Amino acid sequence: MPSPNGVVALCDANNFYASCACLYNPEIREKPVVVGGDEGARHGIVLSKNYHAKRFGIQTAETLNEARRKCRDLVVVRADFDLYLRFAKKLWAIYHDYTPLVEPYGIDECYLDLTGSTRLFGGGKEIGDDIRRRVREELGITVTVGVSFNKVFAKLASDLIKPDATVLITKENYKETAWPLPASRMIFVGSETYRKLLAMDIYTIGDLAKADEERLKLRFGKNGLLLKIYANGYDMSPVDPGAVPVNGVSHSNTLPYDATTPEEVRSAIYMLSEGVAIRLRSQGLKCNGVQIYIRDNEMASVIRQGQLQYPTYLAGEIAAKGFEVFTEKYRFVKPIRTIGVKAISLQDQFKMYQLDLFGDHTHRERLERAEQAMDDIRARFGKNAVMKAGNLGSKDLTGHLGHNSETNPLIELYDIHT
Amino acid sequence: MGKVKTAVLAHFTLDEQVIPLRLETEDGARLKIDRVRDARPAASLKAGASGVRYICDCTAYNDGEEVPVDGLRLFRDDDGWFLE
């Protein structure tokens, strides 16, 4: 547990992908640059942009075509995830020179518990400044370091000033610095939550801190109380170096062509579920629920989910639940561009669960052994060495088996999609 | 573009340090490294790389003539050795 007088930092690499790309290509450094996905495979979105591109109003996640419309001279660099991983590891090595308590939060962000380091290296501000100097000199990129007494405010601080700054939110100043900010700036307050907060006349983090508990609880359940706790600076969650930042394991893919029939969607869900199941097994996890993500050709997206009867890491069960959720909870009118399958409510694979009298658990165990055998074959002979006959046609829809979402190279590190 | 690839003869020490001894550039220039003044992780903004930077005092061999070259910036990164 963090001590009440803890020092927590959140180090956030500024425009990480674009910064790496610009470092290795000095000739484009002073031009507007974005790092984009593969346009040929319809992954043509902006993954990262430099500050020159930002001046043109280019946004992360918009299509490259939209970005080019905003800036004719835009330089588009193809993503190089091996490079980003190498750089992430170099960043982590620097952070570990200050504390062993480093918790990666995405590829370009890390929480550092500096509570025990201050006697060696000075206060949070000094350590933050030193980390920034070293990253700038040794890696040629910049980081913003948010320093505070808990993770929520450290994250908030790191978002306040960019690039290359150390920002402090202390117990003495949080009411002046954090509370006047819009509630949407606080982690865990997404656009939907913010919309609901606004409807309750809660505009700022300070409003949230002072909000009536019962009203929050009524509107958001226990999460509403958590938001109030965070806004008051009472977050006590530890920086966990062993934590895998996982609330789910997911695969998603923009299809090479829009899916117009349930059968096409079914194929994609089955193929994606296969990848999800492989990763669950490799992590020793089972899921209790399945969430699907659908984005249509007008870029409207929805998320729907359902609970499983038993915890599972079987691709067939995940896919069947995913398709059931799709057919029962989604109104399929427009062609579908992107489909994602996420295993949620995860648990250890060996955790006990209640069987029922009539289920065929021997059959399930056999299926588990069969899928584990497939994993062994893939480990020895490659990802595509074996696949289910039903998935053969799906290959065209979703790319190769075990295809990782290209927006999250953390998968390579953790084999987990957060 | 500010990056001259070099071949390097180096001493790999038991404590896993790498100390360059001689180098030869792509255009055939040959230098003997007399002293490594400084070695540290560094980025090269000019050449576009990030690795270990060695600042070396060297002797260049030019048509049999020995020419001292001080403060040469030699880099080693994932792609190999180069001069800035």
Side-chain angles (χ1 to χ4, degrees):
Chain A
M1 286 295 287
S3 81
N5 298 316
V7 180
V8 177
L10 187 280
C11 299
D12 177 11
N14 306 128
N15 307 333
F16 185 50
Y17 297 172
S19 297
C20 294
C22 287
L23 173 68
Y24 277 83
N25 300 284
E27 64 280 5
I28 64 171
R29 211 171 284 152
E30 296 307 317
K31 297 178 180 172
V33 175
V34 298
V35 174
D38 179 3
E39 290 181 273
R42 301 210 313 174
H43 299 162
I45 58 162
V46 175
L47 301 175
S48 175
K49 65 213 174 281
N50 69 357
Y51 285 100
H52 297 293
K54 224 171 243 184
R55 279 192 213 113
F56 288 89
I58 292 168
Q59 306 278 331
T60 300
E62 73 183 355
T63 66
L64 292 176
N65 284 338
E66 282 171 323
R68 284 200 187 92
R69 271 199 288 276
K70 290 177 181 173
C71 174
R72 280 188 178 184
D73 301 323
L74 187 68
V75 178
V76 179
V77 180
R78 182 87 182 267
D80 178 354
F81 292 116
D82 290 338
L83 175 68
Y84 310 145
L85 285 173
R86 276 208 319 265
F87 258 73
K89 286 175 183 169
K90 286 180 180 181
L91 279 170
W92 297 351
I94 290 176
Y95 302 154
H96 273 101
D97 284 346
Y98 298 89
T99 173
L101 301 175
V102 176
E103 178 185 334
Y105 187 71
I107 189 168
D108 57 348
E109 294 181 44
C110 279
Y111 284 108
L112 279 62
D113 187 338
L114 300 172
T115 311
S117 313
T118 51
R119 284 168 187 259
L120 289 169
F121 302 108
K125 170 88 166 74
E126 286 73 27
I127 296 176
D129 287 344
D130 205 43
I131 287 174
R132 286 194 301 115
R133 179 191 59 76
R134 283 191 59 192
V135 171
R136 196 171 51 239
E137 290 178 4
E138 295 179 18
L139 304 186
I141 62 173
T142 59
V143 291
T144 293
V145 184
V147 181
S148 192
F149 51 96
N150 63 44
K151 285 166 80 175
V152 168
F153 280 174
K155 169 75 178 152
L156 180 66
S158 76
D159 288 334
L160 293 183
I161 303 175
K162 287 175 190 290
D164 201 8
T166 307
V167 187
L168 265 69
I169 295 181
T170 63
K171 280 189 171 167
E172 288 72 38
N173 76 4
Y174 75 94
K175 288 183 183 171
E176 290 81 44
T177 51
W179 279 17
L181 297 170
S184 57
R185 298 289 294 267
M186 201 175 81
I187 191 170
F188 305 122
V189 179
S191 56
E192 191 60 20
T193 304
Y194 187 50
R195 195 179 56 75
K196 290 174 186 167
L197 287 173
L198 290 180
M200 297 167 71
D201 288 333
I202 295 171
Y203 302 97
T204 65
I205 295 174
D207 292 342
L208 189 54
K210 290 178 258 180
D212 180 63
E213 281 183 19
E214 284 307 312
R215 281 182 75 210
L216 286 172
K217 200 174 170 186
L218 208 63
R219 191 73 186 87
F220 302 103
K222 64 179 180 185
N223 289 334
L225 297 181
L226 279 178
L227 291 179
K228 183 179 163 81
I229 286 170
Y230 296 152
N232 277 294
Y234 298 140
D235 168 37
M236 292 287 279
S237 53
V239 173
D240 183 359
V244 179
V246 53
N247 54 18
V249 174
S250 75
H251 268 212
S252 67
N253 216 316
T254 299
L255 307 176
Y257 53 89
D258 293 344
T260 52
T261 66
E263 205 41 53
E264 284 172 336
V265 175
R266 184 179 178 280
S267 293
I269 287 178
Y270 269 76
M271 195 66 184
L272 292 165
S273 300
E274 195 75 40
V276 170
I278 290 169
R279 293 228 308 280
L280 280 176
R281 289 193 293 274
S282 74
Q283 295 293 317
L285 298 167
K286 286 184 176 180
C287 65
N288 285 287
V290 178
Q291 191 179 76
I292 59 163
Y293 166 83
I294 303 283
R295 191 170 64 174
D296 65 30
N297 62 349
E298 290 177 10
M299 297 298 166
S301 54
V302 294
I303 291 172
R304 297 285 181 268
Q305 66 185 52
Q307 291 301 306
L308 289 155
Q309 192 175 2
Y310 310 109
T312 188
Y313 52 40
L314 288 172
E317 292 183 356
I318 293 168
K321 177 54 76 177
F323 190 61
E324 180 192 312
V325 169
F326 173 79
T327 49
E328 291 180 2
K329 298 185 178 176
Y330 180 74
R331 204 165 143 257
F332 188 12
V333 182
K334 294 180 186 136
I336 291 170
R337 181 153 297 178
T338 303
I339 299 178
V341 174
K342 184 175 185 178
I344 57 172
S345 309
L346 304 184
Q347 65 168 61
D348 187 272
Q349 62 175 329
F350 297 118
K351 190 177 170 189
M352 301 289 197
Y353 61 94
Q354 180 64 51
L355 302 178
D356 65 20
L357 282 173
F358 309 106
D360 188 354
H361 297 285
T362 315
H363 180 61
R364 288 189 80 231
E365 281 173 16
R366 286 177 61 200
L367 286 175
E368 287 184 358
R369 283 204 299 275
E371 296 213 357
Q372 283 160 0
M374 287 172 71
D375 291 345
D376 291 343
I377 292 169
R378 289 191 188 107
R380 287 186 62 188
F381 301 109
K383 276 181 179 174
N384 295 318
V386 58
M387 67 166 64
K388 289 174 184 161
N391 283 338
L392 281 171
S394 314
K395 207 176 165 186
D396 296 335
L397 265 177
T398 60
H400 62 276
L401 185 62
H403 179 77
N404 294 324
S405 164
E406 85 175 74
T407 56
N408 192 346
L410 259 190
I411 293 160
E412 297 293 331
L413 287 174
Y414 297 110
D415 216 22
I416 288 279
H417 192 117
T418 58
Chain B
M1 185 65 204
K3 195 172 187 176
V4 181
K5 282 278 213 182
T6 62
V8 167
L9 179 71
H11 178 202
F12 287 68
T13 69
L14 283 175
D15 56 354
E16 297 184 352
Q17 288 190 58
V18 182
I19 301 166
L21 303 173
R22 289 172 185 273
L23 65 92
E24 186 173 340
T25 61
E26 280 175 317
D27 55 8
R30 293 189 314 166
L31 295 96
K32 182 168 89 64
I33 294 165
D34 302 315
R35 187 166 75 106
V36 175
R37 247 197 268 160
D38 184 46
R40 67 177 66 206
S44 166
L45 296 183
K46 260 193 228 170
S50 158
V52 180
R53 183 189 62 211
Y54 300 83
I55 296 183
C56 314
D57 294 339
C58 314
T59 304
Y61 297 94
N62 195 357
D63 292 333
E65 197 182 335
E66 293 189 1
V67 183
V69 180
D70 287 349
L72 190 79
R73 291 157 72 93
L74 176 66
F75 277 84
R76 176 168 60 91
D77 75 353
D78 300 320
D79 296 329
W81 295 82
F82 62 90
L83 293 171
E84 199 178 51

